[in-house]
Amino acid sequence: MRRPTIGVFDSGFGGLTVLKALLELIPVADYLYFGDTARLPYGSKSAQTVAKYAVEATQYLEQHGAGLLVIACNTATALALDPIRDASSVPVIGVVDPGAERASMVSENRKVAVIGTEATIGSHAYLRALEMRGLEAREKACPLLVPLVEEGWVDHPVTEQVARIYLEEVFTDGFANADVLLLGCTHYPLLKPVLRRVAPQHAAIVDSAESTAQVVAEQLRLAPPSVAPPQERLRPTLLRFFATDSAEKFRRLGARFLGRPIEDVQHVDLKE
Ligand code: DGL
């Protein structure tokens, strides 16, 4: 009779925005977070490499007790969801479908602008997920935004200028009236204030981190792993972090994404 242990995987720190949304929505659970910080960024790598790295990391989470896997990384979801599912024996939830579903619920004129890394946009995973739901999509890779967020420039004039240039190229021609901006990257929720300023006012911002947390909550309601006894429910949330690069750096940078201090970080060396 245990409460759920949710494994959250990302290429690095950005997936902590998904963990943050999960903690708000599902506080009575334990969480294992794996950040593949030694091998990031995934956004500029090939599908084959991303799949290899992501499968290794998610298997590590499963071996350490995860009963459900959340692929918080948009790039890993877009390029490697099938290989991850094939290698896992627990349910796997990615971020693309929940984000597309939410966009579909919000959009009235069925036109959506999607932004993400080179690899996510190059895979057209969001385009396919949106078209399946009867929406038109225009995709735009915004490779400069991840390093700007990692630099801590989340509300900086340079970031605002870069975001403005990217979005001007999306909200134009037949897409000037797109009424949703879908954030297809873990790092972009931190840029919401900047993006709100530079995106057209008629466009709603949809965050795949929040939509994914909702899908996980629904999945747990439908298939609760078990009913936790009262003392289990009262126990504080167990949060463990694994990082393939420096634990100290993960603690320092990660706190910014999670919005709270990070304590229990273990360095992991995944052998090639
Ligand atoms: N986590 C990645 C994503 O959501 C962004 C960072 C990276 O490129 O590794 O696409």
Side-chain angles (χ1 to χ4, degrees):
M1 297 271 275
R2 291 197 316 122
R3 56 189 196 174
T5 298
I6 302 175
V8 181
F9 163 65
D10 182 48
S11 57
F13 313 98
L16 293 165
T17 56
V18 177
L19 178 59
K20 187 170 180 225
L22 284 165
L23 285 164
E24 277 163 22
L25 215 59
I26 316 166
V28 185
D30 293 326
Y31 291 92
L32 305 175
Y33 181 96
F34 191 107
D36 197 4
T37 42
R39 306 195 284 197
L40 69 78
Y42 279 17
S44 52
K45 293 192 169 68
S46 70
Q48 205 186 10
T49 301
V50 169
K52 178 178 173 305
Y53 289 174
V55 165
E56 285 171 6
T58 48
Q59 287 194 322
Y60 187 92
L61 283 172
E62 210 182 312
Q63 283 154 13
H64 284 74
L68 168 71
L69 290 171
V70 178
I71 311 305
C73 181
N74 287 256
T75 304
T77 302
L79 274 64
L81 196 60
D82 287 341
I84 296 170
R85 284 203 168 124
D86 291 346
S88 308
S89 52
V90 297
V92 179
I93 295 175
V95 283
V96 171
D97 275 321
E101 187 59 31
R102 180 82 195 136
S104 174
M105 282 159 69
V106 170
S107 177
E108 284 178 5
N109 69 3
R110 318 306 287 157
K111 279 188 191 172
V112 175
V114 190
I115 55 175
T117 63
E118 291 279 12
T120 298
I121 298 305
S123 75
H124 303 301
Y126 273 107
L127 180 81
R128 281 195 301 276
L130 290 162
E131 284 183 350
M132 259 177 55
R133 291 167 172 85
L135 294 126
E136 279 183 78
R138 177 169 289 171
E139 305 171 288
K140 176 76 190 157
C142 303
L144 293 175
L145 295 183
V146 165
L148 286 166
V149 171
E150 296 211 337
E151 190 60 34
W153 289 16
V154 289
D155 207 0
H156 190 286
V158 168
T159 309
E160 183 157 337
Q161 181 63 7
V162 169
R164 177 168 288 113
I165 293 168
Y166 283 140
L167 293 194
E168 272 171 7
E169 290 171 21
V170 187
F171 289 94
T172 180
D173 306 325
F175 271 77
N177 65 344
D179 62 359
V180 169
L181 172 63
L182 177 51
L183 308 188
C185 176
T186 47
H187 288 54
Y188 301 170
L190 276 86
L191 297 175
K192 264 191 201 164
V194 162
L195 294 170
R196 186 60 285 167
R197 284 202 292 277
V198 301
Q201 284 313 303
H202 64 260
I205 295 182
V206 168
D207 174 350
S208 48
E210 283 169 10
S211 347
T212 302
Q214 274 155 14
V215 170
V216 175
E218 277 154 30
Q219 164 112 10
L220 290 174
R221 265 196 294 275
L222 285 176
S226 61
V227 180
Q231 68 274 22
E232 280 267 286
R233 266 181 262 137
L234 292 174
R235 183 165 63 72
T237 302
L238 185 83
L239 269 178
R240 283 182 74 194
F241 299 88
F242 305 99
T244 50
D245 194 20
S246 146
E248 189 282 320
K249 187 176 176 192
F250 190 91
R251 261 190 291 274
R252 191 162 35 83
L253 277 185
R256 210 193 287 152
F257 287 84
L258 192 59
R260 62 160 94 173
I262 288 183
E263 278 142 32
D264 187 1
V265 187
Q266 186 183 322
H267 174 258
V268 173
D269 203 359
L270 287 180
K271 294 276 173 283
E272 284 295 312

